[in-house]
Amino acid sequence: MPEPSRPPGCRYTEDARLDARNTFGVAARAPLLVEIADAAALPAVLADPALRDDALLVLGGGSNLLFAGDAPGPVLALETRGMRVLADHGDFAIVRADAGASWDAFVRWTLSQGLAGLENLALIPGTVGAAPIQNIGAYGTEVRERIHVVEAFERDAGELRRMAPDRCAFAYRDSAFKREPDRYVVTAVEFALPRTPALRLDYAGIGEELAAMGVAGTPTPTQVADAVSRIRRRKLPDPAVLGNAGSFFKNPVVPAAQAEALQADDPSMPAFRGDDPATRKLSAAWLIDRCGWKGQRDGAAGVAASHALVLVNHGGATGAQLLGLARRIAASVQARFGVAIEPEPRIVGDRW
Ligand SMILES: Cc1cc2nc3c(=O)[nH]c(=O)nc-3n(C[C@H](O)[C@H](O)[C@H](O)COP(=O)(O)OP(=O)(O)OC[C@H]3O[C@@H](n4cnc5c(N)ncnc54)[C@H](O)[C@@H]3O)c2cc1C
């Protein structure tokens, strides 16, 4: 059989190893890996019958997924990395970055352009294209607050869509893209960023870190990004040294009455009010810590000693072992507190 003609600017690898493409560093393979350097090739690539497969996985930096087994179908990686100012309106600008660009490199580039708004999201691993998928958030900021348009290729329709935030169903660690992972490939994201920053410094030690850095008076957005990066480096294991995917569990949202009953048993339990007065968000880290998991190991799979939410690969753990550990953690939280906790990363090759 002759090889089908393949669009230029793409690299096809059969039986590809994905070990270096996931920050847990677990061994996994894909029957086919397609790396695309030119987004214009995407429609032709996706029209290829081999990639029309429902099991197609779009892979960014692999920092928010767990390969519990091999990828069941082909894997697509966008290697497009452009960034540019689309329109400068003086007090704010619209900027655009390609899906394959490094998120942290993009944050730093916006700061170098004199633009603010993303400083609290510095040093989150992964790509720009993945940022809207779970509406990344950190230090009191969510990316949806700055998104102008998500450009995404709708696979079934074969059309490129420009989606304003109100069409993306953004919520806490969630979006339309996360709920329908087979529907869209995000190709680029545009952001509206102000030149005059409204800095958020009242969150999780940013003020103290700026003081420790010797910053007196009002900091610059770059100094805030530096402070956030310093705290993150101290608190979270570096995936290059110890495989992990950041927080493994989302904070559970429960009825307010359930939170109050749990707090009556233990008044030290944190519970946060959200938009809905009938519910409370609990701290998954606190619940897991109370069940005694921090620093525990099951062979090479473990829970970070520094952070109960972070599952780690001490070296040679399989994705199935990590998933098994995660299930045991969730079962113990359910048994002790009656609260269901769910994984934040996508589980590939198995089900939660
Ligand atoms: C040390 C560490 C710290 C972290 N801290 C945070 C944090 O503070 N806040 C936070 O929100 N997250 C955090 N994360 C999780 C992760 O970094 C983010 O979710 C990030 O956005 C994932 O990017 P990625 O490119 O690695 O995506 P991947 O892991 O490759 O993919 C994640 C999901 O997005 C989909 N996807 C990726 N690219 C595209 C695309 N172009 N089109 C369609 N779907 C796509 C994938 O199919 C998958 O479902 C952390 C992870 C680590 C390892």
Side-chain angles (χ1 to χ4, degrees):
M1 282 258 289
E3 280 281 303
S5 68
R6 288 175 164 170
C10 303
R11 192 156 70 146
Y12 286 66
T13 310
E14 279 172 25
D15 192 24
R17 287 185 69 154
L18 303 174
D19 312 22
R21 285 184 164 266
N22 73 95
T23 58
F24 265 123
V26 297
R29 306 191 87 93
L32 177 65
L33 170 68
V34 183
E35 295 159 285
I36 301 185
D38 179 358
L42 190 63
V45 168
L46 290 173
D48 180 342
L51 280 113
R52 291 196 68 87
D53 194 327
D54 270 355
L56 177 82
L57 171 72
V58 187
L59 184 61
S63 65
N64 206 27
L65 43 78
L66 172 62
F67 285 110
D70 288 334
V75 170
L76 186 75
L78 289 168
E79 309 288 345
T80 51
R81 302 210 167 88
M83 304 171 194
R84 65 198 157 103
V85 176
L86 285 184
D88 197 334
H89 300 281
D91 53 348
F92 77 100
I94 305 292
V95 299
R96 174 185 168 96
D98 291 334
S102 144
W103 173 258
D104 186 54
F106 171 63
V107 171
R108 292 289 170 175
W109 175 82
T110 62
L111 293 166
S112 74
Q113 301 293 312
L115 296 165
L118 300 178
E119 54 280 347
N120 290 37
L121 302 177
L123 210 65
I124 295 180
T127 56
V128 167
I133 307 298
Q134 74 152 1
N135 176 28
I136 55 169
Y139 294 89
T141 303
E142 286 185 335
V143 75
R144 66 169 160 185
E145 297 164 48
R146 301 296 174 195
I147 287 181
H148 176 59
V149 162
V150 177
E151 185 190 89
F153 189 81
E154 188 169 2
R155 289 176 55 204
D156 275 355
E159 304 240 347
L160 204 57
R161 308 278 183 218
R162 286 180 57 77
M163 297 170 67
D166 60 355
R167 284 184 58 201
C168 300
F170 287 127
Y172 165 65
R173 300 294 184 272
D174 202 12
S175 71
F177 311 106
K178 191 165 180 177
R179 275 176 234 161
E180 292 187 276
D182 300 328
R183 186 161 172 192
Y184 298 104
V185 179
V186 173
T187 50
V189 188
E190 295 171 12
F191 300 81
L193 300 177
R195 290 205 181 274
T196 311
L199 298 175
R200 283 192 200 149
L201 309 176
D202 53 347
Y203 199 88
I206 298 179
E208 292 82 341
E209 195 67 32
L210 286 162
M213 288 160 57
V215 177
T218 308
T220 64
T222 299
Q223 286 170 326
V224 176
D226 291 344
V228 166
S229 301
R230 282 167 54 121
I231 302 171
R232 294 182 68 95
R233 284 199 183 93
R234 219 170 34 239
K235 281 196 168 174
L236 292 167
D238 178 354
V241 179
L242 190 62
N244 75 91
S247 300
F248 195 87
F249 293 99
K250 293 191 277 192
N251 288 325
V253 176
V254 301
Q258 186 181 4
E260 279 153 24
L262 289 167
Q263 278 184 318
D265 284 347
D266 186 341
S268 69
M269 187 193 78
F272 308 96
R273 281 166 197 272
D275 297 337
D276 180 354
T279 64
R280 298 284 182 276
K281 192 189 277 181
L282 307 184
S283 161
W286 188 92
L287 298 169
I288 295 167
D289 196 10
R290 278 298 150 118
C291 292
W293 285 103
K294 207 193 258 180
Q296 293 296 314
R297 280 182 76 148
D298 178 9
V303 180
S306 59
H307 207 312
L309 266 190
V310 180
L311 264 57
V312 293
N313 176 2
H314 287 285
T318 64
Q321 284 170 330
L322 285 156
L323 182 61
L325 176 63
R327 285 178 177 146
R328 285 197 295 286
I329 292 171
S332 71
V333 168
Q334 177 75 54
R336 175 152 176 193
F337 297 105
V339 174
I341 54 171
E342 291 184 350
E344 184 183 301
R346 178 167 176 183
I347 312 291
V348 180
D350 203 337
R351 283 170 184 275
W352 175 241

